[in-house]
Amino acid sequence: MDTTIALSSRVLKTENVNWRDFKFIQQEGFKDLESDAAHRLKASILTNNFTQPFYVWEDQDNGTIFCLDGKHRTLMLEALIKEGYNVPYFLPATFIHCDNKKEAAKLVTIYSSIYARVSQQGLFDFMKEYDLDFTELREQMDLPEFDMLEMMELLNPTDAAATQAAEARANLQERFIIPPFSILDTRQGYWFDRKRKWISLGLESDEGRPEELFMARSGQSSGIYNLRNRMREATGQDPSWDEILKEAKKRGMHVYTGTSIFDPVLTEVVYSWFNIPGGQILDPFAGGSVRGIVASELGYKYTGIDIRLEQVEANIQQGKLLKAERANWITGDSSQMNDLLPESFQADLVFTCPPYADLEVYSDLDGDLSTMDYDKFLKVYREIISQACGRLREDRFACFVVGDIRDETGIYRNFVSQTIEAFSDAGLVLYNEIILINVAGSLPVRVGRQMANSRKVGKMHQNVLVFYKGDPKKIKENYPEIEIKDISENA
Ligand SMILES: C[S@@+](CC[C@H](N)C(=O)[O-])C[C@H]1O[C@@H](n2cnc3c(N)ncnc32)[C@H](O)[C@@H]1O
């Protein structure tokens, strides 16, 4: 505490004054008498007479005496006079020092009456009139339970709206992990924080890939994938990421070297929002291990299919390491899903991130979607969606993370709409469309040239499409309150 601030008394004197000469700073309606307060006040005056002085401020400029506390008493005294009571005009008043009317007005807000309560509108008008700082005064005031935020917003619209928005957002995070809006912004601090917790569990998604360097799909140009594909064609073998990186640098390409895994926060959000507790997940394009590990960690069962044996082996190894007992990976072609899964297998959620046509070619295996021309790709892709939806229970969700791709001439293929169409043909409805904003990665370096040369804006989002199978009215009964796991416990 700062002991250099000297406290002093502002009480000047107490003496008898004519209360009928009092002026008031507050307007009518500033304080309302509590419902039976008039009756209690009257009873108290008649029984106890005058036991308390008024509080007043004398304006030295003109000698006016402003009553700071006692307005309802003066009203009651007038009423008693009318009723025939003999009321003394001179009653004790305690004079308080104030530099000016604004200071006096502050005291009016602070003196609390046991009979009268300040009304929200009354206080608002008063604060405005005397330009008082509500945030300073609210701590000292005996305020009834009116809405503080509303009051702040009334008094200071921008600040209060921001405070309210921040509080509402924090509340949404507590309930849903991430605020459940149609935009999921992976650049936000809360996203990073949650992601760091997941990573600390030891997640790695690209261990099936030859090198630890994996180009983030989000921040990477398709050029890097094209380069990889061309190098593979030229040599007939898979180039290592080191080789790709070297070649890319030689060509002056900008490479975003942040290692990337499928986003565990997006995974957690989708599972928590759109799966039933403990529900079975089906992932027809598993890729790395993240979706399986996160599922197991959160108590869901997971079955992921991927056509590449080395990826599946790596996932299984990673699953063992992290004790992901509920995750299960199968090697195979998802267009043959019915042969790969037991007949009785049913899913509570379909969740995946499919190949974006040939944007990245994963292997040269027959059946690998990324090796097909676009027409064939779409045909097989639709077939896989149809089979996955066939394995989905009634009244359940399916979620695909997709991004549109351009054809050889630079025109968008409309892959997002084609995905929606495939689900619609499989009998599901589009229930939520969410835009996932990715970190910019190397985009700021690349976008200038691409915009200048061909007017292509930098794409830094993907689409999270959420479909529903069944009767949406049943959602409330099937999907209970969301429980958020404290994953830091496991870190
Ligand atoms: C977009 S990737 C998934 C990558 C994901 N974003 C990740 O890193 O976790 C798609 C996966 O689909 C697999 N794939 C391609 N065609 C397939 C098919 N017909 N059946 C099953 N998996 C297939 C590829 O091997 C690749 O791992």
Side-chain angles (χ1 to χ4, degrees):
M1 190 182 290
D2 189 347
T3 49
T4 59
I5 298 176
L7 298 177
S8 63
S9 168
R10 286 169 61 185
V11 176
L12 300 172
K13 59 183 177 185
T14 300
E15 67 183 35
N16 285 343
V17 290
N18 188 345
W19 55 268
R20 297 189 95 186
D21 291 338
F22 283 168
K23 296 278 179 285
F24 295 92
I25 291 179
Q26 69 269 46
Q27 298 125 344
E28 286 303 314
F30 172 60
K31 282 184 181 173
D32 296 326
L33 276 189
E34 307 256 275
S35 49
D36 65 340
H39 174 75
R40 283 189 287 123
L41 179 58
K42 184 175 176 181
S44 169
I45 291 174
L46 293 181
T47 316
N48 307 315
N49 285 299
F50 303 101
T51 54
Q52 243 182 300
F54 295 101
Y55 286 101
V56 298
W57 165 63
E58 185 175 9
D59 186 345
Q60 297 301 327
D61 290 344
N62 49 31
T64 309
I65 296 178
F66 286 95
C67 180
L68 307 178
D69 181 41
K71 172 145 190 172
H72 286 98
R73 265 181 286 161
T74 64
L75 293 175
M76 183 53 70
L77 295 181
E78 293 289 3
L80 289 174
I81 290 169
K82 274 196 193 133
E83 283 182 40
Y85 287 92
N86 190 2
V87 179
Y89 288 170
F90 281 80
L91 286 171
T94 298
F95 286 71
I96 307 295
H97 171 80
C98 298
D99 280 336
N100 49 43
K101 202 167 178 184
K102 182 171 175 171
E103 255 194 20
K106 272 194 203 177
L107 293 182
V108 171
T109 64
I110 289 161
Y111 286 129
S112 61
S113 157
I114 52 169
Y115 298 109
R117 293 299 251 169
V118 63
S119 72
Q120 186 162 350
Q121 186 61 46
L123 181 61
F124 170 66
D125 293 341
F126 192 72
M127 294 273 165
K128 277 292 217 210
E129 185 174 345
Y130 292 100
D131 191 24
L132 299 182
D133 180 355
F134 182 64
T135 24
E136 177 200 323
L137 288 175
R138 66 187 275 208
E139 286 175 14
Q140 308 163 44
M141 289 168 75
D142 174 28
L143 288 168
E145 286 90 53
F146 55 65
D147 189 335
M148 280 300 157
L149 282 169
E150 191 183 304
M151 186 70 189
M152 286 170 77
E153 188 164 29
L154 282 171
L155 285 162
N156 195 347
T158 43
D159 276 12
T163 317
Q164 192 167 23
E167 285 184 17
R169 193 173 288 275
N171 181 271
L172 288 175
Q173 271 165 247
E174 257 170 48
R175 290 176 63 196
F176 305 111
I177 311 165
I178 295 296
F181 297 126
S182 62
I183 284 182
L184 293 179
D185 191 349
T186 68
R187 303 165 306 177
Q188 295 291 332
Y190 52 74
W191 196 286
F192 270 108
D193 291 346
R194 195 77 187 163
K195 193 165 177 179
R196 209 173 299 124
K197 285 188 182 175
W198 276 110
I199 304 274
S200 72
L201 299 187
L203 291 183
E204 281 175 50
S205 188
D206 50 321
E207 58 286 340
R209 311 233 164 122
E211 301 294 332
E212 76 288 347
L213 173 72
F214 171 66
M215 314 336 197
R217 177 183 289 284
S218 51
Q220 208 57 249
S221 74
S222 54
I224 205 78
Y225 298 108
N226 289 337
L227 175 64
R228 182 191 185 202
N229 298 343
R230 281 202 303 277
M231 286 170 74
R232 182 189 279 140
E233 269 167 33
T235 61
Q237 326 172 348
D238 265 338
S240 73
W241 282 113
D242 259 354
E243 286 162 348
I244 300 168
L245 185 61
K246 234 185 256 163
E247 187 63 27
K249 282 195 175 148
K250 219 160 63 186
R251 291 165 187 240
M253 290 168 71
H254 291 284
V255 182
Y256 174 56
T257 53
T259 54
S260 167
I261 57 169
F262 188 82
D263 198 309
V265 182
L266 175 65
T267 307
E268 180 186 20
V269 160
V270 169
Y271 290 167
S272 312
W273 292 359
F274 304 118
N275 200 358
I276 57 165
Q280 169 74 57
I281 295 147
L282 170 61
D283 182 347
F285 304 104
S289 59
V290 167
R291 293 192 290 273
I293 307 272
V294 170
S296 190
E297 201 45 54
L298 295 176
Y300 303 104
K301 295 185 277 294
Y302 171 92
T303 297
I305 306 173
D306 202 286
I307 201 161
R308 287 176 298 129
L309 175 68
E310 77 275 13
Q311 179 70 70
V312 167
E313 281 177 345
N315 291 355
I316 292 172
Q317 210 182 335
Q318 176 78 352
K320 275 196 189 126
L321 201 72
L322 298 181
K323 301 197 173 57
E325 281 146 12
R326 299 179 196 87
N328 168 35
W329 286 275
I330 300 172
T331 310
D333 180 344
S334 281
S335 67
Q336 312 298 314
M337 198 182 303
N338 285 335
D339 299 333
L340 300 171
L341 297 170
E343 217 170 293
S344 60
F345 181 95
Q346 281 198 299
D348 297 295
L349 171 72
V350 170
F351 180 46
T352 202
C353 175
Y356 298 175
D358 59 356
L359 180 64
E360 184 183 2
V361 177
Y362 296 97
S363 70
D364 53 8
L365 295 168
D366 266 358
D368 182 332
L369 259 66
S370 63
T371 63
M372 299 172 184
D373 66 49
Y374 196 68
D375 286 345
K376 183 158 184 217
F377 164 83
L378 259 193
K379 192 166 170 279
V380 184
Y381 179 59
R382 288 173 55 90
E383 175 57 31
I384 293 175
I385 288 176
S386 161
Q387 287 190 35
C389 291
R391 294 298 188 130
L392 186 64
R393 285 199 171 90
E394 275 297 297
D395 298 311
R396 296 291 188 268
F397 290 98
C399 177
F400 265 42
V401 180
V402 290
D404 209 348
I405 54 256
R406 296 179 188 275
D407 69 12
E408 316 66 50
T409 64
I411 294 164
Y412 269 131
R413 291 194 183 272
N414 212 9
F415 179 49
V416 179
S417 305
Q418 285 156 347
T419 303
I420 297 172
E421 213 175 279
F423 272 94
S424 167
D425 290 348
L428 275 69
V429 290
L430 179 62
Y431 201 75
N432 287 306
E433 196 197 345
I434 302 167
I435 300 299
L436 180 77
I437 304 182
N438 298 123
V439 289
S442 67
L443 198 55
V445 193
R446 292 183 281 113
V447 75
R449 204 171 64 177
Q450 116 187 9
M451 185 64 190
N453 289 348
S454 55
R455 292 296 187 271
K456 285 179 192 154
V457 298
K459 185 168 185 299
M460 54 183 292
H461 75 275
Q462 290 172 87
N463 306 63
V464 181
L465 303 173
V466 182
F467 303 94
Y468 187 73
K469 176 177 178 177
D471 177 5
K473 281 199 215 86
K474 300 235 175 95
I475 292 174
K476 196 164 172 19
E477 78 190 53
N478 287 324
Y479 292 81
E481 187 95 351
I482 291 166
E483 270 186 37
I484 301 174
K485 190 169 171 183
D486 184 1
I487 43 174
S488 60
E489 281 169 18
N490 306 302

